[in-house]
Amino acid sequence: MTTKKKLIAGNWKMNGSLAANEALVKALLQGVGTPACEVAVCVPAPYLAQLQSLLSGSPIALGAQDLSAQPQGAFTGEQSAAMLKDFGVRFAIVGHSERRQYHGETDEGVAAKTAAALANGITPIVCVGETLAEREAGHTAEVVKRQLAAVIHVNGHCISEIVVAYEPVWAIGTGKTATPELAQSVHALLRAQLHHAADEHAAGIRILYGGSMNAANAAELLAQPDIDGGLIGGASLKAPDFLQIIAAAR
Ligand code: PEP
């Protein structure tokens, strides 16, 4: 059991509008008070300026959903870590399963993006997780360890600065949550791997759970010894639900 502050990060995915974002953030700021955990929202890139302004001086940090591994140049459609930094971005999701699945992101690419974030003072939230087929074939441990090993290989001792998110792909957006015991068993594996790479710093690395976490199941998941917070998709778009999850993280 560790004593670090938990992190609750919302992943808005490709949702929102200027009007909807403003209403959501206003409701969050009205209800959030002084949270016991760290809170962030990872928003679509076009809304970074809006959110930087809305969240200014608040206890909610700004996050991005992806970044380029490259520092600048001819990479149409990409955003560099330095550009995100210009908007006060503190966290960036890296290697979300939707990017691995729909954009062909590889373990090596995810490791390079992690390095770009770290080099620019942005905390990467590095996602790992197995598909349903991989779980059913008994390959969960092998898959998540391979994904994390690539990040460790490229980033060495700097991995003490990352956040890891265990997101079983079969639980994302499906309403099927990993049981607290199942999630804890994978988190413990990841913790052991981090321990091997970062020695005593491993205990301070936050490992979030993500995959249909909601207001009803958050407290039980967050009570597990190696679950240090949550990466929340759908439920982060509903202020009362997200606020309840934040309240459960202490
Ligand atoms: C996610 O997108 O990272 C996620 C966990 O989504 P959901 O909470 O909707 O399953």
Side-chain angles (χ1 to χ4, degrees):
M1 182 79 88
T2 52
T3 54
K4 58 200 166 267
K5 259 195 181 183
K6 287 188 166 57
L7 170 64
I8 298 296
N11 173 14
W12 288 5
K13 310 198 190 200
M14 196 170 72
N15 293 293
S17 66
L18 288 173
N21 300 345
E22 189 170 341
L24 176 55
V25 168
K26 278 195 172 150
L28 290 176
L29 294 182
Q30 253 165 33
V32 74
T34 305
C37 62
E38 260 194 279
V39 182
V41 287
C42 300
V43 308
Y47 297 124
L48 286 171
Q50 182 201 18
L51 269 295
Q52 181 183 30
S53 158
L54 287 173
L55 297 175
S56 166
S58 86
I60 302 182
L62 183 55
Q65 297 176 12
D66 184 33
L67 80 173
S68 176
Q70 306 297 332
Q72 64 185 48
F75 301 99
T76 302
E78 301 266 297
Q79 290 91 36
S80 73
M83 291 171 183
L84 299 180
K85 201 69 188 160
D86 268 348
F87 290 92
V89 164
R90 301 247 318 275
F91 295 93
I93 299 171
V94 175
H96 191 280
S97 63
E98 288 153 15
R99 297 214 54 90
R100 293 180 190 259
Q101 186 180 348
Y102 304 131
H103 300 272
E105 293 203 0
T106 61
D107 294 343
E108 292 68 32
V110 172
K113 288 183 174 195
T114 302
L118 289 172
N120 286 275
I122 292 173
T123 300
I125 301 176
V126 179
C127 300
V128 301
E130 80 288 2
T131 63
L132 185 59
E134 289 164 340
R135 168 159 288 275
E136 285 176 350
H139 293 154
T140 298
E142 181 194 319
V143 168
V144 299
K145 281 176 157 181
R146 187 203 72 222
Q147 291 171 334
L148 185 57
V151 173
I152 291 170
H153 178 70
V154 168
N155 292 279
H157 65 272
C158 293
I159 56 136
S160 60
E161 305 299 321
I162 75 172
V163 170
V164 177
Y166 169 54
E167 297 210 309
V169 179
W170 48 269
I172 296 178
T174 59
K176 285 185 197 148
T177 316
T179 62
E181 295 72 27
L182 187 153
Q184 166 57 29
S185 71
V186 178
H187 281 232
L189 275 179
L190 294 169
R191 179 85 62 208
Q193 189 178 5
L194 291 168
H195 219 284
H196 202 65
D199 299 323
E200 75 277 13
H201 300 297
I205 299 174
R206 288 176 293 194
I207 308 178
L208 315 184
Y209 170 78
S212 299
M213 191 188 269
N214 57 40
N217 61 27
E220 215 190 340
L221 285 159
L222 292 167
Q224 299 301 310
D226 287 302
I227 299 186
D228 307 310
L231 182 55
I232 326 294
S236 73
L237 296 170
K238 298 176 213 139
D241 298 49
F242 196 53
L243 288 169
Q244 260 187 272
I245 297 170
I246 291 166
R250 44 188 66 257

